[in-house]
Amino acid sequence: MRIRVRLFAVARQAAGTDSVEIELPEGADIGQLRRAMAAGVPGLGAIVDQLRFAVDEEFAGDGTKIPPTADIACIPPVSGG
Amino acid sequence: MIELTTDTIDVARVIEAVRSPKAGAVVLFLGTARESTGGRAVRSLEYEAYDAMARAELARLEAQARATWDLVDCAIVHRLGEVAVGQTSVAIAVSAAHREGAFEAGRWLIDRIKEVVPIWKKENRADGSADWVHPMIDLPGA
C-alpha cells in the first residue's frame, strides 16, 4: 500500500516538502513506517527516534496497524504555548 | 471554546467567554512572545499547526479539564503565524466555583498543551537566523 504522510515544522523543513508518499506492505504498522521514512526521506534519519505519528488525528504508537485509507501525520516534538 | 487564529488575540473576549454567575473564580493564563531565548535576541515567533489534530487535541484537553476540576467554562485560543515580541501567543481562561480548581486546571492545561498539541514554534532572530523549536531534538547546525 502507498500512504501519504503529512510533515510539519522541522520534519517538513528537513524533507523539503509538506508530505511524502511511502510504500509499505499491507497491514504495516507505525514502526515500519518510521523505519521506512528514516531510510527513504532525506534529512529525517537524524531525528526519526524523536518523531511521533498520528493516525486520523490521534497519536498512535509503533505497534498500531496502519489502515490503508487513514490520514497519517508525522509529529515532531511540539512547541506550542 | 477552542480557537486557532492568525489574528491578534482579544484577551478580554477570552475572559468574557468563561465569565459566569456560577463561577467564583476566573483564571487567565497568557503565553507571550519573549524578546530573547538562550541569550539570543528574538524578533518574532512563528507558529504552525496540524490544524485539525490541534483542534481535536485541544478539545480532548478541555473535556478532561472540565471533568477533572468541575469547571464552569473553559476557553483556549492559540495564535498561528507570526507573533511579534510582547504579543500573546496563547490565552487560556477557566472559570470554576472556587479558585483552587481554576488555578489547577489552568496550570494543567498549559503544561499539557506544550506536551501533546501539534503546534510548533519557529524563532525568527534579530540576527536574521531562524530555527524551529523542538524540545528533545538537537538539530545539526542549530
Side-chain angles (χ1 to χ4, degrees):
Chain A
M1 61 182 179
R2 193 163 186 82
I3 60 163
R4 191 173 76 93
V5 182
R6 299 170 187 266
L7 302 175
F8 296 94
V10 75
R12 179 169 56 74
Q13 181 179 294
T17 175
D18 61 7
S19 73
V20 290
E21 295 210 339
I22 303 285
E23 187 66 39
L24 291 172
E26 291 293 328
D29 62 22
I30 292 292
Q32 286 169 271
L33 172 63
R34 179 189 300 280
R35 291 189 290 279
M37 287 185 60
V41 183
L44 284 192
I47 60 173
V48 72
D49 290 341
Q50 279 73 46
L51 302 175
R52 285 187 284 180
F53 289 86
V55 175
D56 290 334
E57 296 159 15
E58 286 196 50
F59 286 110
D62 277 12
T64 303
K65 297 262 184 269
I66 302 172
T69 60
D71 194 348
I72 308 294
C74 169
I75 312 286
V78 301
S79 53
Chain B
M1 178 177 101
I2 302 288
E3 288 181 4
L4 301 178
T5 179
T6 54
D7 296 331
T8 302
I9 295 176
D10 180 346
V11 172
R13 194 176 67 85
V14 180
I15 296 171
E16 291 312 311
V18 304
R19 189 190 294 275
S20 164
K22 296 190 183 67
V26 170
V27 164
L28 172 72
F29 172 83
L30 299 181
T32 58
R34 193 174 50 234
E35 67 181 2
S36 72
T37 296
R40 302 174 77 179
V42 171
R43 181 169 49 78
S44 67
L45 300 177
E46 205 172 314
Y47 289 89
E48 167 180 325
Y50 176 12
D51 197 286
M53 183 175 170
R55 289 173 198 273
E57 285 293 330
L58 286 169
R60 282 191 273 271
L61 294 180
E62 176 181 346
Q64 207 175 333
R66 282 178 182 272
T68 305
W69 287 282
D70 195 21
L71 300 180
V72 173
D73 220 327
C74 174
I76 306 170
V77 181
H78 204 298
R79 183 95 178 261
L80 300 178
E82 190 159 359
V83 179
V85 163
Q87 288 194 342
T88 302
S89 52
V90 62
I92 300 168
V94 294
S95 55
H98 303 286
R99 66 185 182 283
E100 291 83 359
F103 273 116
E104 285 178 22
R107 173 67 192 259
W108 182 83
L109 281 165
I110 184 59
D111 287 349
R112 291 297 289 157
I113 284 169
K114 285 173 170 286
E115 290 167 357
V116 301
V117 178
I119 298 177
W120 299 271
K121 139 174 72 191
K122 186 161 78 175
E123 288 177 0
N124 295 319
R125 304 198 190 86
D127 64 9
S129 65
D131 280 301
W132 289 103
V133 178
H134 288 296
M136 300 153 45
I137 293 185
D138 282 327
L139 293 169

